[in-house]
Each structure stands twice: as C-alpha cells, then as structure tokens.
Amino acid sequence: MLHAPTTPLAERMRPKTMDEYVGQEHLLKKGASLRKSLDANVLPSLILWGPPGVGKTTLANLLANQLKRPFYTLSAISSGVKEVREVIKKAENQGMFERAGAILFIDEIHRFSKAQQDSLLGAVEKGVVTLIGATTENPSFEVISALLSRCQVYTLQSLEKEQLELLLKNALERDEYLSKLDVQLKETNALIRISGGDARKLLTLLEIVISTFPQDAKIEITDEVVFSIAQQNIARYDKDGEQHYDIISAFIKSIRGSDPNAAVYWLARMIEGGEDAKFIARRLIISASEDIGLANPTALIMANNTFQAINTIGFPEARIILAQCTIYLATSPKGNGAYMAINQAQELVKSTGNLSVPLALRNAPTKLMKQLDYGKGYKYSHDHPGNFVVQEFMPEEIKGASFFQAGSSKREREIEEDIKQRWQGKY
C-alpha cells in the first residue's frame, strides 16, 4: 500500500530549476529584462508584484540558486526590525568570505511598516544584500519611495489556462506519489475556476480531490466531481483569491452603473470579509477618474479625501466614510472621456513611435539651441486676448489628431463644444 506523503503537493512540485518554472515568459524568455540580468550574472534589488500563486517565492529561490548567492528569507507577517537587522548582520559577516552578495527575500513586503522598510535602506544601498520583495499590492502605494527607488519592479502576470493545465499534468506525471495512482484528468475548468488561477491552490485542490478516492480506485476527475468535493471548502470571501477580484469587479461595475444599493452591498461584502480599507479606497479613486472624470471633477477630490480619511480613522468607522464615497460616486453623473482619450493617445504613440517635438515647442536653455531654432516661432499664450492663440502643438505627422470625445455627460459635451469653438473646428 502506498503511503501518502505529508508534504503538500504544491511544495513537492515547487520547481528546482528555471527549466521547470511555468509562466512569466515576458520576464524570463531570451532577451527579456530579467533574463538579461541573469545571463550577465547581475541581479539588482527588485520587487516582484503580482497576484497570489503565480510563482513569486519560487522565482526568488530560483534566482538565488542560479546565481549561487547566499539566500535569506523573512516574512513581513512575523518579522520586525530586530529580525531584519540580524539577517543583515549575518550577510555582512558572510560577505567577508563570499564574493557574491547575499539575497534577502521578504514575502508580503507590503505589510512591512515604514520603520521596518527604513531598516533595509542602508544594506540595500551599500550592496550588503540584494533585496527581493514579493507583494500582491501595488508597490507604488505600499513600499516607501526611498526603498522603491533602489529597486527594479517586475510585474508577474496571472497564469493562463494552458499553463495551469500544464501544472496539473506535471503533477500527475512527475509527482512520486500521484504518478503511481490511476488518475484520469477529464476536465479542468472547475479546478481552475475554484483555485482562481492560484497555482498553489490549484495543486492543493487537486490533492484534496484525489485523496477522497481509495488508492486502488480508477480516479476520474470531472468538473462535477470537483465541485461536489470542493463546495464546502469555498470561502464566503477569500481576499487573496478569485472572490477578491470578482467582488471588487462587481463593486466597481455597480458604481459605474449608477446603482448605489448594489455598490453598498458589495462594499459590505468586502468589509465583512476583512478586505483592506486602503485597497477599496484606491479603487474608488480609480473609478472617480475612469467612470466619472470630467462629468464631475469633484468626484476625484471626494475619493482622494476618502483615502486620506480612512488612513486617519481606520476600521470600524472607516466603513462609514467608504459608504459615503461609494454612494456619492454611484449617484454622480458619469463620463469616461478622459479614460478613452488617454487610451487612444497611447495607441497612437505605439503605432507612430517617438515623433520629434516641433522646434517651436522645444526648450532652448543654451545659445547653441537657440541658433538651431529651438523655441523659434512659439507664441506665448498670455500675450494674446483670452490667454489663447491658435498654434500647432502636435508633431507634423499627426497634427489634427483628436482623442477627447464627449459622451452623454452634459459637462463633457460643454467641454467638447468649447474645444471646437476655440480651435475653429480643428478638432
């Protein structure tokens, strides 16, 4: 009789080499930024930013192994300034005997306080340690600017269905225990859906499903089987998994759809599920600009003030502030003119490349630049009636290109009409 291993499948299947690593080709394929660093045997301090279960911890381990660097790891949940300083001291001592600097991996670095992050600065700056931080949250908000400026941020992408299916196939074929069982993987949709694309949860769920069958049975894994086994284990609100993204999506779409009741319901779901108030507030700021924008510019001020307020107040009272902003945004006039304008402008930039700045608009701080006609012909708007004069601000190749288009918002239509009149029909 086979003895089921005590080590979880996700840990047993953790890649030991880069060749076994699945996903993140945009970083690791030949010619990609991180791959270039590896090939040059050089690794900057970096932040790995991405959703749960996409391989951040595994990648950090593999980077250290490939570069043959001493590797230290800390968890932001259980470590403080004292533990950080102890690791840095060890790295300094080891550095006397090792040519390559140590790598310090900090999981969930967004949970580190400012003081804890400050304690890393000196060692990172001097190269005593190469920092690898892992986070599911936007490092621009969660990592102090002094530390962030010393790190390269790499964004890890969610795994695609084909990659997740490959992980399942590898587990059934390569795992020492599962490979000896008679398992047929007939359907994968339920495994992938319930795990929310989290590779760790995917493999854990596979192991749970298989464990419900006798070892000598012919195991056929179908969506129906997976749902029936996993139903009791699906959390009401998993703030690190699929529901985290589904509920915030429903929340934002309810605001966009001007339904304050639905928006407050989804807000309550997140609050009761233990969601981070700052995460909610940041999404309100984005919605205020993306979905309301110029139709009611005060919405952005309201959302930004909400973010400041909940940082001052905290739960439980922060729920009232979040509810006030949610209802305000949901009942506000809607317009996405600014959102669509920047999308179209970026698409044009991608298709036309780096067009030259017209000479009249160029900065001319030196005599040589003035001789080259930098700034020549520029008309200073404030020297003209109404502080406006018609002149060309676009590169010659795309002059007349228009990005802002009003929707049904009254305010956006007023802006569009003003642009047409001011520019005499040019846009």
Side-chain angles (χ1 to χ4, degrees), residues 77-91:
I77 296 176
S78 57
S79 305
V81 173
K82 178 174 176 286
E83 287 77 14
V84 172
R85 288 175 176 163
E86 287 175 354
V87 168
I88 290 172
K89 187 67 175 176
K90 287 180 185 177

Side-chain angles (χ1 to χ4, degrees), residues 18-30:
M18 281 292 184
D19 290 336
E20 296 177 1
Y21 188 82
V22 175
Q24 316 313 325
E25 287 87 356
H26 65 294
L27 298 179
L28 298 172
K29 66 183 178 183
K30 189 171 182 179

Side-chain angles (χ1 to χ4, degrees), residues 17 32 36 41 54 86 117 160 162 203 242 250 272 274 290 307 319 357 375:
T17 67
K36 286 180 179 178
N41 202 34
V54 295
E86 287 175 354
Q117 293 186 37
E160 300 291 337
E162 294 77 12
L203 295 175
E242 183 181 23
E272 287 299 307
E290 178 181 343
F307 185 85
R319 67 193 173 90
V357 176

Side-chain angles (χ1 to χ4, degrees), residues 187-413:
E187 295 174 313
T188 61
N189 287 339
L191 286 167
I192 292 172
R193 179 180 171 188
I194 294 172
S195 64
D198 183 323
R200 189 185 306 107
K201 289 183 180 179
L202 178 73
L203 295 175
T204 300
L205 181 57
L206 175 67
E207 190 170 34
I208 290 171
V209 171
I210 291 175
S211 69
T212 62
F213 292 86
Q215 284 186 343
D216 57 352
K218 183 177 180 180
I219 303 170
E220 292 187 349
I221 299 179
T222 64
D223 290 344
E224 184 179 356
V225 168
V226 173
F227 276 124
S228 64
I229 293 171
Q231 190 173 16
Q232 60 195 17
N233 297 319
I234 300 175
R236 170 175 57 93
Y237 179 80
D238 177 2
K239 64 180 179 178
D240 291 324
E242 183 181 23
Q243 288 232 333
H244 167 84
Y245 298 103
D246 284 348
I247 291 183
I248 195 64
S249 175
F251 175 62
I252 294 302
K253 286 172 181 172
S254 298
I255 291 174
R256 183 181 300 142
S258 300
D259 188 337
N261 295 302
V264 170
Y265 167 76
W266 294 118
L267 173 64
R269 283 282 298 274
M270 288 187 285
I271 292 171
E272 287 299 307
E275 183 59 86
D276 183 2
K278 290 191 291 183
F279 171 79
I280 301 171
R282 284 198 292 269
R283 294 315 185 273
L284 289 171
I285 293 174
I286 296 168
S287 179
S289 189
E290 178 181 343
D291 297 316
I292 298 169
L294 298 167
N296 177 16
T298 306
L300 183 57
I301 298 171
M302 177 75 153
N304 193 56
N305 284 345
T306 295
F307 185 85
Q308 300 299 328
I310 62 106
N311 275 289
T312 303
I313 302 300
F315 279 132
E317 288 80 5
R319 67 193 173 90
I320 307 168
I321 301 165
L322 291 169
Q324 178 184 347
C325 185
T326 295
I327 295 169
Y328 181 85
L329 298 188
T331 56
S332 178
K334 302 299 188 295
N336 68 345
Y339 170 69
M340 296 302 293
I342 188 60
N343 286 349
Q344 292 178 34
Q346 284 183 277
E347 285 301 315
L348 184 61
V349 168
K350 290 173 185 176
S351 64
T352 57
N354 296 323
L355 301 178
S356 297
V357 176
L359 284 173
L361 303 182
R362 296 187 189 184
N363 187 32
T366 68
K367 184 176 180 181
L368 174 60
M369 289 178 175
K370 290 178 181 177
Q371 290 173 347
L372 294 174
D373 289 340
Y374 280 35
K376 184 178 181 180
Y378 171 65
K379 301 172 185 176
Y380 188 56
S381 297
H382 299 292
D383 287 341
H384 299 268
N387 303 309
F388 174 79
V389 60
V390 173
Q391 57 185 319
E392 187 56 66
F393 292 100
M394 288 277 205
E396 177 67 24
E397 297 88 338
I398 58 169
K399 65 180 182 180
S402 178
F403 308 114
F404 175 72
Q405 295 175 345
S408 59
S409 159
K410 178 182 176 182
R411 176 59 185 145
E412 284 192 353
R413 290 200 304 271

Side-chain angles (χ1 to χ4, degrees), residues 93-112:
N93 293 336
Q94 188 157 9
M96 298 176 185
F97 309 101
E98 298 277 352
R99 292 184 64 186
I103 290 176
L104 171 57
F105 175 69
I106 299 180
D107 195 18
E108 299 192 84
I109 194 170
H110 59 274
R111 296 181 184 269
F112 256 18

Side-chain angles (χ1 to χ4, degrees), residues 174-192:
R174 299 179 185 176
D175 180 65
E176 188 174 345
Y177 174 70
L178 296 187
S179 62
K180 295 175 182 175
L181 302 178
D182 185 3
V183 181
Q184 286 188 313
L185 188 59
K186 295 209 162 183
E187 295 174 313
T188 61
N189 287 339
L191 286 167
I192 292 172

